[in-house]
Amino acid sequence: MNSNRKSLECDYVVIGGGIVGGCISYYLSGKNKEVICIDSGEFSGSNSNAGSIHVQLQSRNFRLNPHLIDNLMENLPFYKEAVNAWNRLSLMLNVDLELRVNGGLMVADNEEQLEFLYKKCQEEKAAGLDVEIIESNKIKKLYPFLSNKVVGAEFCAHEGKLNPLVANKSLQEVSLRSGVKIMKCETVNHIEFKNNEYCIRTNLREYFCETVIIAAGSGSGKLAECLNFNIPTIAEPLHMNVTEKVSMFIPILIQHAECSITLKQISSGNIIIGGGWPARIEEESNKIKIKKESLFGNLTTAVNLVPSIGKLRLYRTWGGINPITDGNSVLGNMKGHENVFFAIPGDAGYTLGPLCAEVIVDLINSKRNEFYSSKFSPERFLNNHKKMIIEN
Ligand SMILES: Cc1cc2nc3c(=O)[nH]c(=O)nc-3n(C[C@H](O)[C@H](O)[C@H](O)COP(=O)(O)OP(=O)(O)OC[C@H]3O[C@@H](n4cnc5c(N)ncnc54)[C@H](O)[C@@H]3O)c2cc1C
């Protein structure tokens, strides 16, 4: 296929080359089907993420998105299976993604927070998670690097970490080897159905195909509008920090019951610190900019939790875009456009990426996926759309 041509034909166009679009492209390839993945960036949408494998409910959602909690709670089995989907992907890629599922801790430093964790733990256990509370007499023995203030924690055995840079690079390499055509730095600005096929227009050319997959993260809502659908996607700019390398001393993913923080030490020895501190999008350039308050706030929270981090040098800081909808993943097609599939992961979307891709590929192939639920269908937004039309 000559990618200099002004128009290209294929079986599937996948819009978005983050973890979701990347996996979908790879999973669809190699069956005598031509797959083109178009990404407005470098086929690395998710390079900005922290590589935490999240399964237990993150406390930040209780504070910032309490309206999403019911959805998130219902999805716990989906998160648990998402870890298995990462294992499957890792076997297919045959690369060490530094995927380590050795558990995650959510710590409390007062009785009220511990009470909150007891309740959360009970509900998560009922939903099938392998979780337990570690009380104050044990916590310092097991995790001596934690601050003396910590009075207990919830341990979730399914959690862990991986290296997103290795994962994204390996995914790209294997996709190219399986014949996926990756179009970088090309932005889709129009989708329409004409002459029995979809025409996808970018800033450079037109593509014609039978099936379109919209996996464009927070850009998906705008693309849905081309087909007259309202799928509200919000771009949430988030902040990250990483310290210099030190010998391994934090073996586990750490979060806090009340403060926004996730931290973990990756195989190279660097400690990656994030957890939902805001960055900002500069209006004129659309670039992600760092907020000083987040830089200091995030680091101070980390030092309060693991005091020895205070001695380390900050190596790098960056921001990225987290796509948000209503807490649930958006997976499936819509009436009237049965060959357009939306693939937007719910909260902690990197964790969910490979599983969302498996679900979408099964839907495309009309195969039953036991982890698919109709609550993921994008059709749930149709009622909102009708309501909006009536209100206007
Ligand atoms: C700082 C930060 C840290 C995070 N840490 C974690 C974590 O530790 N664990 C976890 O599970 N999740 C984490 N997340 C969330 C996670 O990164 C995202 O939910 C996930 O990567 C979303 O993947 P995606 O493939 O759906 O979208 P994206 O990775 O956003 O990819 C979408 C791609 O679509 C492209 N695109 C958009 N519009 C168009 C268009 N019109 N035409 C062509 N291309 C388009 C974009 O350029 C982008 O490359 C983090 C997020 C941020 C911002």
Side-chain angles (χ1 to χ4, degrees), residues 16 18-20 39-40 45-46 49-52 188 216 240 320 322 345 348-351:
I19 189 62
V20 178
D39 192 86
S40 52
S46 324
N49 91 88
S52 308
V188 175
M240 292 299 310
N322 187 38
Y350 201 73
T351 303

Side-chain angles (χ1 to χ4, degrees), residues 93-308:
L93 297 179
N94 198 17
V95 173
D96 178 12
L97 305 179
E98 297 169 29
L99 175 61
R100 307 283 181 266
V101 182
N102 43 11
L105 269 192
M106 186 174 286
V107 306
D109 40 38
N110 63 41
E111 289 305 319
E112 201 183 321
Q113 289 167 9
L114 195 56
E115 201 51 42
F116 159 76
L117 290 182
Y118 265 111
K119 190 166 170 283
K120 187 168 93 68
C121 183
Q122 210 174 23
E123 289 177 26
E124 290 174 334
K125 205 175 256 179
L129 296 197
D130 184 354
V131 280
E132 62 173 306
I133 294 292
I134 303 178
E135 304 243 6
S136 58
N137 54 345
K138 279 204 195 145
I139 194 92
K140 276 300 275 181
K141 276 188 211 132
L142 290 171
Y143 306 105
F145 56 86
L146 286 174
S147 146
N148 288 330
K149 287 186 221 142
V150 172
V151 296
E154 180 181 357
F155 173 79
C156 173
H158 312 285
E159 296 195 309
K161 59 190 173 184
L162 60 89
N163 186 329
L165 298 179
V166 177
N168 295 349
K169 185 166 171 278
S170 311
L171 190 56
Q172 176 162 178
E173 283 166 2
V174 79
S175 299
L176 287 170
R177 280 204 299 278
S178 341
V180 176
K181 186 100 207 156
I182 297 175
M183 316 303 273
K184 296 181 183 177
C185 303
E186 226 180 298
T187 301
V188 175
N189 40 45
H190 191 67
I191 307 172
E192 72 178 300
F193 189 65
K194 63 176 184 190
N195 304 329
N196 277 331
E197 59 186 351
Y198 283 95
C199 168
I200 289 114
R201 202 170 306 132
T202 73
N203 50 324
L204 297 180
R205 55 181 76 78
E206 284 184 336
Y207 297 84
F208 295 91
C209 65
E210 200 180 306
T211 304
V212 188
I213 298 98
I214 300 180
S218 58
S220 305
K222 206 164 163 211
L223 293 169
E225 282 171 20
C226 302
L227 301 167
N228 241 346
F229 293 139
N230 168 47
I231 298 192
T233 47
I234 299 168
E236 180 189 32
L238 294 180
H239 179 98
M240 292 299 310
N241 290 307
V242 58
T243 71
E244 63 178 318
K245 296 174 186 177
V246 278
S247 313
M248 183 59 72
F249 73 104
I250 308 177
I252 194 166
L253 172 68
I254 311 280
Q255 299 181 71
H256 192 273
E258 204 170 280
C259 308
S260 292
I261 185 95
T262 61
L263 71 83
K264 65 194 161 288
Q265 191 170 14
I266 55 171
S267 307
S268 57
N270 306 84
I271 299 166
I272 303 203
I273 308 169
W277 287 76
R280 67 183 174 88
I281 304 174
E282 192 177 62
E283 239 174 70
E284 313 83 69
S285 65
N286 217 20
K287 284 193 176 141
I288 305 163
K289 297 283 176 181
I290 297 307
K291 286 180 159 193
K292 248 197 260 163
E293 309 86 280
S294 288
L295 172 67
F296 295 119
N298 186 223
L299 291 175
T300 308
T301 312
V303 173
N304 284 340
L305 212 55
V306 180
S308 54

